[in-house]
């Protein structure tokens, strides 16, 4: 199945595709919007003013660079050192802010005054709301009706910052349906509206664009680990829902073939149960949300609901570049269950005084597993993609019900 | 070939073709077949049939709601092809098109899907989320099994895209009345004559207009600008949504509505000639003099 790592440009986009994945499988009506966005995005990469404006926002507003923190005891053994890339310290509380600021600037550049976005846990919605408040854009956030109930504090945050939150009742009432609804809005409104997609999935140019605007995570981490230990890490670990924080920290290491890239999918109740969100490990190839990628589906091709304790990983598809990285063997993908993630959530809080997001807790749990079985010395970077404040009520409830120790 | 024959006959008779859309297996397999009979009996010149999909991004609330019924009944792609084969057996000359989403084609194996489509007797397949730019993934298999690939021409596509669509859409070209998604919430606009002329100049297959067409007025506007046929989707599906628990009411409502729209399509040019319709293109308003409209 796996094609060998032959050409150096194996990991470059070829038009709308990376390998055979990606593309633009959208209704014809949306093609002009995607073409306009692609052009604006490619132009912005060459525009020094745009880059300077973005860098200024990232450093003076969002708080880049974020630190790389070595764990004092979490997952530490005499062989293993674990370093956390602290995206939890970014303004907004998660890595989402990086690319949202960039896309919001792009929207202004295209003369669009209205932003629509989807959100699951609310993190992308919050990031979108803050960027729109800052840049004077009108924000409408589509959110599954079920998620609105589960994530009340984030809904309030969005509203506080002036965004309009629209409940999506149709379908399963969760993230995938919010994406569908945003696409439907966009099909009628793209003249005046930018769809600010929140992850490295969807039709081209979103996967490439989100990767480009998130790769700052890996670039900083690489420089920081070189400063702190004088060599490249042995492994880089990140959780994968749609895959934006993972591709962001992987991107700058893809050509460093000795660095293992490990994506951690939500195994929910277990990879062999029917309640997980492990699209890469347990899904199959398909076409969803504008891209040829991997998805959770029936043999008939109907998309099924995913499950994860963490709303941000609860998505039945994944960015196309991760499929390519998996099929070429460049990255490995593994699963971590709800329970393992909850354990890591509590352990990092206890040992480091850092409360991680439940999403990031999946990556932490895998780092711990690796450390325990390590046969030789190694340095591991974990992308701590977000902070856990948003998860407190949820985890409290789970602990009360003795789902966790 | 069936499309070509249909549009030749329609042109000779100075009529627009009327092509209603319904979902296969909606509200049930049996009732769905009875609805098809009703549509044909009421003057439908061809049918656009849909597979229900879990994530119909091109569809508005009416078709989204309807899609839940075949999905809940576990009405499969195989069931759908069986239904199409039954319709074909009954109506050997009726043009039959399928409207589906890319993942349903992909999941069967693309070649296998088109093979089944051909065996069932379909004439065309339109994939709602496959723009003409991505046709390569499907078009080879479609051609191998003699299935015509239909593409959608949106009102604001640039010339390059319109040319691509005109060159590649087979059987007919689906002309969009407006932006957005399917549904009757936002009415059709009259297509610009410039847009229609360009598609003709680029050698397009016959033009069939859809999205937001729900009343005879919309049909007269379409006739005015010179398309060859019209599609109504959500308007009929809405009647199924309203009446599916009372089949007789449902058949009556669908029959009455389809007849009204078929008459509008078949008589639009004559009525225009007789001065019975005034189309004010500046306001996109058409009024029929002395002509009853559906609901």
């Amino acid at each position: 199945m796996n094609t060998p790592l032959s050409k150096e440009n194996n990991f470059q986009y070829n038009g709308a595709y990376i390998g055979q994945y990606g593309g633009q499988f959208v209704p014809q009506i949306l093609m002009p919007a995607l073409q306009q966005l692609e052009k604006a995005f490619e132009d912005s990469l060459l525009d020094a003013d745009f880059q300077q404006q973005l860098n200024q926002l990232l450093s003076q507003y969002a708080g880049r660079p974020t630190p790389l923190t070595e764990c004092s005891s979490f997952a530490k053994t005499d062989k293993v050192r674990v370093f956390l890339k602290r995206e939890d310290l970014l303004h907004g509380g998660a890595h989402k802010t990086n690319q949202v600021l960039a896309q919001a600037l792009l929207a202004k550049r295209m003369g669009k005054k209205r932003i629509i976005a989807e959100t699951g846990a609310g993190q992308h919605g919050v990031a979108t709301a803050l960027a729109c408040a800052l840049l004077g854009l009108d924000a409408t956030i589509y959110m599954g009706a079920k998620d609105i109930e589960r994530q009340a504090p984030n809904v309030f945050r969005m509203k506080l910052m002036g965004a309009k939150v629209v409940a999506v009742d149709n379908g399963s009432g969760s993230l995938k349906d919010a994406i569908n609804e945003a696409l439907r809005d966009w099909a009628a409104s793209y003249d005046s509206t930018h769809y600010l997609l929140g992850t490295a999935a969807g039709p081209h140019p979103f996967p490439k664009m989100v990767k480009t605007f998130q790769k700052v995570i890996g670039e900083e981490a690489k420089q920081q680990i070189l400063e702190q230990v004088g060599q490249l890490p042995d492994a880089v670990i990140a959780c994968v829902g749609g895959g934006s924080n993972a591709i962001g920290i992987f991107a700058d290491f893809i050509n460093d073939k000795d660095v293992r890239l490990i994506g951690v999918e939500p195994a929910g109740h277990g990879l062999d149960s029917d309640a997980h969100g492990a699209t890469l490990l347990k899904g199959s190839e398909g076409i969803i949300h504008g891209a040829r990628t991997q998805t959770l589906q029936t043999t008939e091709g109907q998309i099924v609901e995913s499950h994860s304790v963490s709303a941000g990983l609860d998505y039945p598809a994944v960015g196309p570049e991760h499929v390519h990285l998996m099929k070429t063997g460049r990255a490995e993908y593994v699963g971590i269950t709800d329970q393992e993630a909850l354990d890591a959530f509590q352990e990092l809080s206890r040992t480091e005084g850092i409360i991680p997001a439940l999403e990031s807790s999946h990556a932490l749990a895998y780092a711990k597993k690796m450390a325990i079985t390590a046969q030789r010395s190694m340095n591991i970077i974990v992308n701590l993609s977000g902070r856990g404040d948003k998860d407190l009520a949820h985890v409290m409830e789970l602990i009360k019900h003795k789902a966790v120790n | 070939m069936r499309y070509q024959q249909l549009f030749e006959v329609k042109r000779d008779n100075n009529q627009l073709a009327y092509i209603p859309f319904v979902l296969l297996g909606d509200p049930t397999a049996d009732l769905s077949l009875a609805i098809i009979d009703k549509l044909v009996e009421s003057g439908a010149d061809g049918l656009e049939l849909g597979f229900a999909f879990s994530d119909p991004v091109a569809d508005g609330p009416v078709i989204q709601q309807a899609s839940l019924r075949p999905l809940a009944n576990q009405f499969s792609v195989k069931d759908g092809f069986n239904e199409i084969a039954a319709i074909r057996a009954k109506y050997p000359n009726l043009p039959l098109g399928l409207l589906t989403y890319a993942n349903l084609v992909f999941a069967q194996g693309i070649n296998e899907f088109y093979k089944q489509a051909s065996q069932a007797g379909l004439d065309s397949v339109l994939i709602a989320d496959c723009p003409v730019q991505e046709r390569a993934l499907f078009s080879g298999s479609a051609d191998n099994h003699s299935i015509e690939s239909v593409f959608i021409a949106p009102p604001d596509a640039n010339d390059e895209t319109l040319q691509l669509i005109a060159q590649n859409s087979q059987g007919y070209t689906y002309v969009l009345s407006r932006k957005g998604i399917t549904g009757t919430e936002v009415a059709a606009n009259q297509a610009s004559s410039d847009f229609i002329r360009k598609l003709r100049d680029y050698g397009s297959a016959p033009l069939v207009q859809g999205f937001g067409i729900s009343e005879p007025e919309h049909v007269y506007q379409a006739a005015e600008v010179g398309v060859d046929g019209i599609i109504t989707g959500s308007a009929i599906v809405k009647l199924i949504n309203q009446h599916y628990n009372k089949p007789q009411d449902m058949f009556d409502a669908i029959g009455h509505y389809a007849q009204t729209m078929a008459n509008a399509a078949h008589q639009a040019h004559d009525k225009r000639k007789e001065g019975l319709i005034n189309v004010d293109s500046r306001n996109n308003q058409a009024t029929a003099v002395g002509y009853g409209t559906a609901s």
Side-chain angles (χ1 to χ4, degrees), chain B residues 195-229:
Chain B
F195 168 66
I196 297 297
R197 186 182 46 73
K198 276 183 188 165
L199 283 167
R200 299 257 192 234
D201 286 351
Y202 293 137
S204 171
L207 307 176
V208 179
Q209 190 177 342
F211 273 43
I213 293 190
S214 63
E215 294 173 18
E217 280 76 3
H218 305 141
V219 183
Y220 303 142
Q221 288 172 20
E224 176 80 13
V225 78
V227 300
D228 302 288

Side-chain angles (χ1 to χ4, degrees), chain A residues 17 23-29 31 35 170 176 180 184 187-188 190-191 285-287 292 297 300-303, chain B residues 52-57 59 64 71 76-77 103-104 106-107 128-129 131-134 137 152 154 156 161 179-180:
Chain A
Y17 285 83
Q24 298 183 306
F25 292 93
V26 295
Q28 189 78 51
I29 189 82
M31 287 302 283
Q35 286 161 350
N170 34 26
K176 82 176 174 75
N180 292 340
R184 291 180 185 120
Y190 58 78
D191 279 343
E285 261 189 58
I287 296 172
R292 180 170 176 183
Q297 58 184 325
E300 287 271 296
Q302 306 292 354
I303 310 302
Chain B
F53 180 49
S54 55
D55 294 77
V57 288
D59 286 305
Q64 285 176 47
L71 290 174
S76 67
V77 168
N103 200 49
L104 297 181
F106 193 86
D129 53 349
V132 70
Q133 289 87 347
E134 294 285 5
L137 187 58
I152 287 185
D156 59 351
T161 305
K179 292 183 185 176

Side-chain angles (χ1 to χ4, degrees), chain B residues 111-177:
Chain B
N111 202 52
E112 178 60 26
F113 185 93
Y114 283 99
K115 188 175 144 197
Q116 291 178 42
S118 176
Q119 284 169 352
L122 271 177
D123 294 297
S124 68
V125 171
L126 194 176
I127 301 175
D129 53 349
C130 180
V132 70
Q133 289 87 347
E134 294 285 5
R135 67 191 179 284
L137 187 58
F138 302 101
S139 58
S141 298
D143 291 347
N144 286 342
H145 296 286
S146 304
I147 293 290
E148 297 179 300
S149 297
V150 176
F151 293 97
I152 287 185
D156 59 351
N158 60 29
D159 288 0
E160 192 190 338
T161 305
L162 284 184
Q163 194 166 1
L164 213 53
I165 290 162
Q167 284 165 354
N168 287 285
S169 197
Q170 302 163 337
Y172 69 94
T173 296
Y174 194 128
V175 175
L176 283 200
S177 306

Side-chain angles (χ1 to χ4, degrees), chain A residues 43-110:
Chain A
D43 289 352
S44 75
L45 296 178
L46 305 172
D47 180 343
D49 284 349
F50 179 88
Q51 296 300 327
Q52 197 239 328
Q53 222 180 334
L54 176 58
N55 288 336
Q56 191 173 336
L57 281 178
L58 288 174
S59 65
Q60 294 171 15
Y61 179 74
R64 297 218 75 87
T66 59
L68 185 74
T69 305
E70 181 169 4
C71 289
S72 65
S73 63
F74 178 84
K76 193 180 165 93
T77 69
D78 43 3
K79 291 201 180 71
V80 178
R81 297 168 72 183
V82 177
F83 298 79
L84 306 176
K85 182 56 179 163
R86 301 292 304 281
E87 295 301 296
D88 61 317
L89 294 177
L90 196 68
H91 177 50
H95 72 290
K96 298 282 185 191
T97 306
N98 295 322
Q99 74 99 7
V100 164
L101 287 171
Q103 280 201 53
L105 281 180
L106 264 189
K108 288 198 86 151
R109 193 184 161 92
M110 291 185 286

Side-chain angles (χ1 to χ4, degrees), chain A residues 258-327:
Chain A
D258 294 333
V259 179
R260 288 175 65 187
L261 304 177
I262 303 171
V264 185
E265 293 200 286
H269 298 169
L271 285 177
D272 294 324
S273 74
D274 56 6
H276 61 73
T279 310
L280 289 160
L281 291 167
K282 304 299 276 187
S284 53
E285 261 189 58
I287 296 172
I288 179 68
H289 292 149
R292 180 170 176 183
T293 182
Q294 191 117 331
T295 183
L296 298 178
Q297 58 184 325
T298 66
T299 52
E300 287 271 296
Q302 306 292 354
I303 310 302
V304 301
E305 283 181 53
S306 51
H307 162 83
S308 172
V309 69
S310 117
L313 302 182
D314 197 351
Y315 178 53
V318 66
E321 187 160 354
H322 286 294
V323 187
H324 183 60
L325 289 172
M326 178 177 74
K327 299 274 182 176

